[in-house]
Amino acid sequence: MADETTTTSSRPEAPAGRPSGPGGRPGGPGGPGGRKFFRRKKVCKFCTEKIDAISYRDVRLLQGFVAERGKIVPRRLTGVCTTHQRRLSRAIKQARNIALLPFAARF
């Protein structure tokens, strides 16, 4: 009886029928057969290409930062730095006001 030891797991068991860990591999990201998830740091497109002025007339550039529905894509998705995101949103709003970009998508 003294030789018996019980270990308790702090991690709850996965429900039956659902694989545990990303990609359906048991053991999670660091477990056996799994690979650690590595997210690459996003770099500002405007800083790397040294673009200082973001013009409201450059519709091709601005369309890359507008979603299908017409929403401005957030920084966390595009990787644009704070100052360029502000300039970008201002340029998009100006382009919308003079009808170079749509306010919303057509249904």
Side-chain angles (χ1 to χ4, degrees):
M1 299 272 187
D3 295 333
E4 291 180 24
T5 57
T6 57
T7 58
T8 58
S9 175
S10 62
R11 193 163 36 171
E13 292 295 319
R18 285 187 65 184
S20 62
R25 293 182 306 269
R35 196 182 316 183
K36 272 198 162 180
F37 182 70
F38 177 71
R39 178 163 294 174
R40 195 169 173 192
K41 179 85 169 101
K42 293 179 181 172
V43 184
C44 179
K45 176 183 177 181
F46 300 104
C47 290
T48 55
E49 295 179 10
K50 294 188 170 63
I51 299 173
D52 292 330
I54 301 172
S55 176
Y56 65 90
R57 289 177 267 164
D58 194 358
V59 178
R60 264 214 183 111
L61 175 73
L62 298 178
Q63 279 178 340
F65 296 95
V66 177
E68 253 181 54
R69 295 282 198 177
K71 291 183 174 184
I72 299 173
V73 182
R75 274 187 62 223
R76 61 187 163 81
L77 296 180
T78 59
V80 180
C81 68
T82 311
T83 55
H84 285 117
Q85 179 71 22
R86 286 193 199 110
R87 292 178 188 172
L88 187 66
S89 61
R90 191 176 301 129
I92 290 170
K93 289 172 186 177
Q94 285 177 338
R96 283 175 176 168
N97 280 329
I98 60 171
L100 295 176
L101 285 175
F103 276 95
R106 290 194 178 121
F107 293 104

